[in-house]
Amino acid sequence: MAHLLRGKQAGIQNDLSAGLGPHLFVLDDIKRFGINSQISQIAYDPVQALLAVGTNETQFGAGQIYVFGQQRIDVVLPLPRRASVRILQFCGDKIICLDAKNDLSIFSLETKQLIASYSPPAKISAVHSDPTLDYVLLGTQTGDILAYDLDRENLAPFKIPNFWREQNPRARLTPVVTISFHPRDIGTLLIGYSDGAVIYSFKQNKVLKSFQYELPRGAPGGDSDPSSINMARKPALTQAIWHPTGTFILTGHEDSSLVFWDPKDGRVVMARTLSDTNVDKPGGGSTTHGVSPGTFAFKAPLFRIAWCANQDPDDTAILFSGGAPTTLPTKGLTLLELGRTPVYATSSWQVLSDHFESPKRQRILPTPANAEVVDFCLIPRSSPHFAGAHDPIAVLALLSSGEVITLSFPSGLPISPTNQLHPSMTFVHPFITHANLAPIERTRWLGMTERRAHGPPILRGGAEARHPLKRFESRNIVQTAHADGTIRLWDAGHGDEIENEALLQANVNLAVGRYDAVDVALVSLSGATGELAVGLKTGEVVMFRWGHNKNAGREPPPPTQNTPKKLTNITERQDPALTEGLLPFTLLNEQNGPVSALKMSDVGFVAAGFEGGSLSVIDLRGPAIIYSANVQDFVKSDKRGSFRRSGSQGAAKVQWPTTLEFSVMTLDGDDYSSILLHVGTNLGQIATFKLLPDSSGRYSVQFAGSSSLDDRVIRIAPLTAETGRPAHASQGAVSNLRSGIKVNGVLLAVTQSGVRLFKPAAQRGAHKTFDSVLCDSAAVVRYEEMGYALLGLFGDGYARAYSIPALKEIGSVKLSDTLDIRRFSEANITSTGDILAWKGPAEMALVNVFGTGLKLNQSKDILFNPQLTIPPRPTISNLQWISGTQYITPSDMDLLIGGPDRPPSKRMLMQARADEQQRRADARGPHTASSSAAGGSDEAWGAYLQRQLNERTEKLGLAGDSMDKLESNSAGWADDVGKFVQKQKRNMVLGAVKGKFGF
């Protein structure tokens, strides 16, 4: 009965939802995009070319690990229990994670599963691993260091005691702050305690040197407080790292001091801060003054330090975050380019000190204002050694705001994450301010591949899993607007195979002509033409069009002033790095408040509404503004009165457009169809305009009428009355107008409190009010060939479907467990029942209401490639070996830590196999001492060291014999030269005498 009554009121004779039933509405959880919570850790594996991101446990989600590879490869590794990721490291084919609950979790890259979880007996404060070892060292709050066996998945018997307490029994609690293997000698370990640092030798099982930073009276140190200069103090250590070749040691302290040490004799080479040197000496350094006279500025702590190496490990630079005065407006990363390290054996102490006192260059790598870099991750080209700082090409910086930025190294130029990082990483690079979804035909999207200049790819690892292929559905193209004025477009898919995985990028800041106050409010994309409209909160509307950049590689000219209330030609404001893609076309500077509604049609028209109440219609064929007016000029005034009298006349309510839609249909009373524009407002008015061609060749806009609803209009859906198909202004429908085709259409208008189905422009139609719940977002959806329905997202967390035209509830699906109810108004609903909506501040979920109960699975992709082997660890030089430095291999470390009774691990077996192959290859050629050293893989560690010592002694003896022979040979050669000279003199004299006598 409701179908007949409402259908008659709306002018619809058929039940457009006849084939739909409640059993069809089942939720499919298809995909996640973005990061579920605040990022806490970032790690990179240069061998597998994978990026790992760990998150904190917050109200928006539990801590977990994301692993990203090339293109769309992503795997989510959940922690054993809810906690925040505190330390994250790659180690060979594993990922090591320490969470806030002191649990050590080991994940396999090959199986993408948790393979071991361990709760240490003490609080862990530092974790260190090496890709050539099967062990991870765990530094504790008590100062001890434990070793966890990654192959046996249990604690190893090896333990390093608290050496600092042994040296100073009266020292307070000294937790382990940092642990670091020597870059070239894995048998030497640098341990940083809160009070100082020590160098520990595995070979000798003792401390070789200890380092403690002491400031006498009068030495400023890194503190800015002048009152602290008059007392002796020992600033606590925060980090201790090696020089890339192990020549020096650098310690960072809580007073922002950087102290360089000589590891051989334990002396301070240089103590400095960002701006001052010799801060450990009385009278050195200076005080950082504050903003007002007589004040001083505190310095931020040193969050992270990395000693980077070029391709030549002796060509170094130091990168660190923090340590800058808090009064600086921009707190970026600081890079000290030291250049080539002086030769230690031949350089004086002054030369070494000057090397750190006066670097070749000091620069600030800029970061966004009002945010500090709290951590960073270097991106090496290929080597995982040298503490992951060998020949880096980029750096990923984690900001205090939770965002991530990518900078080139060492220039510090910003790198766009478009097609460099996974689309999920772009959600925090920087944050997304607005997101929209538009369907684009598959063939058109496959042809939209931009050509842009960019550096070498960062993520190259992994292999994607196979997905079903849906070639006959329009692609779900997401448009995301970011805080830096960047628009990115990418295919979200339907849980199927994505054929065109590349991202498109449009730079709004270049198009507008400024880099500040570029806040995107709305984005609208035409699926038929590929044209893009962007509305800003400052009142501008920017149009982009696909094209070829003839000025690629050349900087655009200085931007001219944007003309108010008119169109500005912005075709010259093109990105020089872009050769083909979305290019700026034209700009409207309305100056009437933020853009409140925006619609890019498929037939060359753009409509924009502004919070000041104005409405503008642009014909892109000119381009030209063909209509501009205020909403108050054409909508009906609000005649609803009040029984309550007021002493003064109340101010009129401001009315502005909230939703716009183009259609092709026949208006009530007309005998022809035309292009229509429907405008919904915040006070419930729906106005309809005709777009008609005139004699000048342009189109004119005529007001056709309006209808009043009860609340804010959130959706307008034009439908064909006979079939229910969308009556949008498509290119085909507009071209059919020439043949006089008539479209019997109706409008389905949804407000927050109800829905109306009527024939435009001013009929009453059928109406339904939602019971005790508000609708936040709505759209007309279709399930295969069975019919159409109105799908709405409601404030109680449910998605409900209503029949057309009866407007009777068909079915419902609960979404509150999957999506964020508070952001339902920003959700995007497609005609196929896909819903792309926010789950958290930086995470979106793609679900479908016509599903089969599919559960989310984000672990199908392959991550680990066993054919990519870890390069050999750097070793000591021949000069160091001859001088007596005892060197042990990673295999020897396995015996030292695991003990003689430990069966060989998988890594050891592979290494033994490689050693055996090398021994056989050497046996075919000349036998050398080096081949015999490589062949003794079965002997004990002590015998191995004894044999090495004997070989070294033998070599030294051979070298001595060679020197003796060289001396005797040199003496014989000198005698021969003397005899030859005497013979020549005698021949010369005899020759002169013989010539005189005529012989």
Side-chain angles (χ1 to χ4, degrees), residues 21 63 80 92 102 162 169 229 305 354 373 414 510 518 535 600 620 670 751 762 817 829:
N102 204 43
N162 188 338
I229 299 179
I305 308 174
D354 292 342
V373 178
L510 284 176
V518 184
M600 171 70 77
L620 293 179
D670 289 349
T751 67
D817 296 337
I829 307 174

Side-chain angles (χ1 to χ4, degrees), residues 664 673 730-743:
V664 171
S673 295
S730 63
Q731 295 177 351
V734 172
S735 63
N736 289 333
L737 292 177
R738 300 175 182 176
S739 59
I741 191 172
K742 295 183 181 180
V743 180

Side-chain angles (χ1 to χ4, degrees), residues 646-933:
S646 177
S648 60
Q649 183 68 26
K653 294 182 179 179
V654 179
Q655 191 166 193
W656 62 81
T658 57
T659 181
L660 303 169
E661 192 63 60
F662 289 91
S663 71
V664 171
M665 64 176 65
T666 304
L667 288 178
D668 186 29
D670 289 349
D671 58 353
Y672 62 92
S673 295
S674 57
I675 304 175
L676 304 178
L677 169 63
H678 310 282
V679 181
T681 70
N682 61 316
L683 298 183
Q685 299 289 338
I686 293 184
T688 300
F689 297 85
K690 289 182 181 180
L691 279 72
L692 302 173
D694 57 17
S695 58
S696 64
R698 291 186 176 182
Y699 277 79
S700 62
V701 180
Q702 299 178 5
F703 176 69
S706 66
S707 179
S708 179
L709 279 70
D710 53 1
D711 204 350
R712 177 189 179 96
V713 182
I714 61 174
R715 182 76 176 190
I716 299 176
L719 303 174
T720 304
E722 291 82 5
T723 62
R725 293 180 181 274
H728 295 300
S730 63
Q731 295 177 351
V734 172
S735 63
N736 289 333
L737 292 177
R738 300 175 182 176
S739 59
I741 191 172
K742 295 183 181 180
V743 180
N744 181 21
V746 296
L747 283 186
L748 192 150
V750 184
T751 67
Q752 289 182 316
S753 57
V755 56
R756 176 171 293 179
L757 192 62
F758 66 99
K759 191 172 183 63
Q763 279 195 3
R764 296 294 298 173
H767 180 264
K768 175 182 175 59
T769 302
F770 300 128
D771 299 330
S772 67
V773 65
L774 296 179
C775 181
D776 295 317
S777 182
V780 175
V781 297
R782 176 188 181 187
Y783 179 68
E784 296 180 353
E785 301 295 332
M786 296 185 180
Y788 294 85
L790 172 65
L791 182 67
L793 305 185
F794 293 85
D796 59 351
Y798 280 84
R800 293 183 176 86
Y802 296 89
S803 62
I804 302 174
L807 300 179
K808 182 181 179 181
E809 183 175 335
I810 304 174
S812 63
V813 176
K814 187 177 181 180
L815 298 178
S816 57
D817 296 337
T818 307
L819 305 176
D820 186 357
I821 304 176
R822 296 165 295 183
R823 303 187 69 176
F824 269 3
S825 60
E826 304 174 55
N828 295 275
I829 307 174
T830 70
S831 60
T832 58
D834 290 337
I835 301 175
L836 182 69
W838 290 98
K839 181 176 174 58
E843 184 183 25
M844 300 187 80
L846 180 65
V847 300
N848 188 281
V849 296
F850 298 118
T852 58
L854 182 68
K855 300 299 181 182
L856 180 68
N857 185 3
Q858 286 189 279
S859 301
K860 296 181 179 180
D861 298 326
I862 299 174
L863 295 177
F864 186 71
N865 184 0
Q867 296 180 353
L868 299 176
T869 58
I870 299 173
R873 200 175 194 277
T875 61
I876 59 176
S877 63
N878 293 334
L879 183 61
Q880 290 175 307
W881 192 85
I882 292 176
S883 64
T885 303
Q886 296 181 359
Y887 173 70
I888 60 175
T889 64
S891 300
D892 301 328
M893 289 290 293
D894 286 333
L895 296 175
L896 276 174
I897 298 176
D901 299 330
R902 176 181 183 267
S905 64
K906 184 192 301 183
R907 189 193 305 272
M908 293 175 64
L909 292 175
M910 293 177 62
Q911 183 65 37
R913 190 178 300 113
D915 291 343
E916 178 64 19
Q917 293 176 355
Q918 182 65 33
R919 187 189 66 79
R920 291 179 179 178
D922 292 340
R924 300 188 189 101
H927 186 76
T928 61
S930 58
S931 63
S932 63

Side-chain angles (χ1 to χ4, degrees), residues 438-457:
I440 289 186
E441 187 184 356
R442 171 181 170 267
T443 54
R444 168 164 285 278
W445 176 247
L446 290 179
M448 295 179 67
T449 304
E450 71 175 17
R451 289 189 294 165
R452 181 184 297 273
H454 57 80

Side-chain angles (χ1 to χ4, degrees), residues 419-446:
N419 297 320
Q420 280 284 10
L421 302 179
H422 191 275
S424 291
M425 285 296 291
T426 64
F427 277 59
V428 292
H429 201 301
F431 288 139
I432 293 177
T433 57
H434 175 73
N436 190 28
L437 188 69
I440 289 186
E441 187 184 356
R442 171 181 170 267
T443 54
R444 168 164 285 278
W445 176 247
L446 290 179

Side-chain angles (χ1 to χ4, degrees), residues 247-317:
T247 310
F248 301 99
I249 288 174
L250 171 61
T251 58
H253 299 266
E254 65 177 6
D255 66 342
S256 302
S257 294
L258 296 170
V259 186
F260 299 89
W261 304 83
D262 184 348
K264 295 186 179 298
D265 56 10
R267 291 188 297 170
V268 175
V269 182
M270 172 56 62
R272 60 167 300 156
T273 60
L274 278 177
S275 54
D276 302 321
T277 59
N278 296 307
V279 296
D280 60 332
K281 300 176 182 178
S286 63
T287 301
T288 305
H289 297 284
V291 179
S292 58
T295 62
F296 60 91
F298 285 104
K299 295 179 181 178
L302 292 169
F303 298 111
R304 173 79 190 281
I305 308 174
W307 204 327
C308 310
N310 207 335
Q311 290 185 352
D312 180 5
D314 278 318
D315 187 6
T316 69

